[in-house]
Amino acid sequence: MTILISIIIAILFIVGLLGTILPGLPGVGLVYAGILVYAFTDGFVAINQSTVVYLGILTVIASLAQYFGSLWATKSAGGKKKALIGTFVGALLGTFAGPAGIFLGAFLGALLGALMEGSTPDAAARVALQSVIGIISGSIIQFFLAIVLIIAFLVAIFA
């Protein structure tokens, strides 16, 4: 493998890890892209096609962690259907507004949804805050799953 390919993979891994913490970057997706670059340039020798599929499934799960972490936290704080929908839509739309957008979008979406459900402003704020805590928890999960992807990659190529 060329040095250029190794540098590209390392950059994808580093930016991917940062992306698990900074919303707006496709964190684990970039880590997986680095694995794919290696697999294709290596002819699927060290990392075979089934490993690529398994790591792809893990990537999808990790990518969804941020959204579903927020939904779970919203529900655990007492949010109902409208708060859950508001959280998801707000977080999704917020990703287009930069790093803070996902947090603000989820917060405002959950707040609006909870208020529409008839929650008191205090209860709605609690639901909204919990949705942001869920996103942060999801980011932590994404970070650790990205580390798992990188470790699996290193084990596959050096084992």
Side-chain angles (χ1 to χ4, degrees), residues 6 9 18 30 37 40 43 47 53 66 74 94 96 113 133 138:
S6 297
I9 292 168
L18 288 174
L30 291 175
V37 166
F40 278 106
I47 299 176
V53 170
Q66 206 166 39
T74 302
F96 299 108
I133 291 170

Side-chain angles (χ1 to χ4, degrees), residues 28 32 54-65 68 142 149:
V28 290
Y32 185 66
Y54 295 133
L55 294 178
I57 292 168
L58 182 60
T59 299
V60 170
I61 291 168
S63 296
L64 295 174
F68 287 108
Q142 274 190 347
L149 284 171

Side-chain angles (χ1 to χ4, degrees), residues 15-33:
V15 175
L17 284 173
L18 288 174
T20 63
I21 299 165
L22 300 172
L25 289 175
V28 290
L30 291 175
V31 172
Y32 185 66

Side-chain angles (χ1 to χ4, degrees), residues 3-155:
I3 293 175
L4 177 62
I5 296 296
S6 297
I7 291 170
I8 290 170
I9 292 168
I11 289 170
L12 287 169
F13 283 0
I14 291 166
V15 175
L17 284 173
L18 288 174
T20 63
I21 299 165
L22 300 172
L25 289 175
V28 290
L30 291 175
V31 172
Y32 185 66
I35 293 169
L36 287 177
V37 166
Y38 184 90
F40 278 106
T41 58
D42 185 50
F44 293 94
V45 174
I47 299 176
N48 61 36
Q49 293 169 341
S50 63
T51 302
V52 168
V53 170
Y54 295 133
L55 294 178
I57 292 168
L58 182 60
T59 299
V60 170
I61 291 168
S63 296
L64 295 174
Q66 206 166 39
Y67 295 106
F68 287 108
S70 180
L71 293 175
W72 174 80
T74 302
K75 188 167 180 69
S76 71
K80 295 178 181 63
K81 186 176 180 179
K82 289 180 184 176
L84 293 171
I85 291 170
T87 298
F88 183 76
V89 171
L92 191 61
L93 293 175
T95 59
F96 299 108
I102 191 168
F103 300 111
L104 184 60
F107 182 87
L108 292 175
L111 182 68
L112 182 62
L115 289 171
M116 289 171 56
E117 292 169 345
S119 295
T120 66
D122 285 344
R126 198 169 34 258
V127 168
L129 180 60
Q130 194 72 12
S131 76
V132 173
I133 291 170
I135 289 174
I136 293 168
S137 300
S139 292
I140 292 168
I141 291 168
Q142 274 190 347
F143 179 80
F144 285 112
L145 289 176
I147 295 288
V148 168
L149 284 171
I150 292 170
I151 290 170
F153 166 80
L154 293 173
V155 167

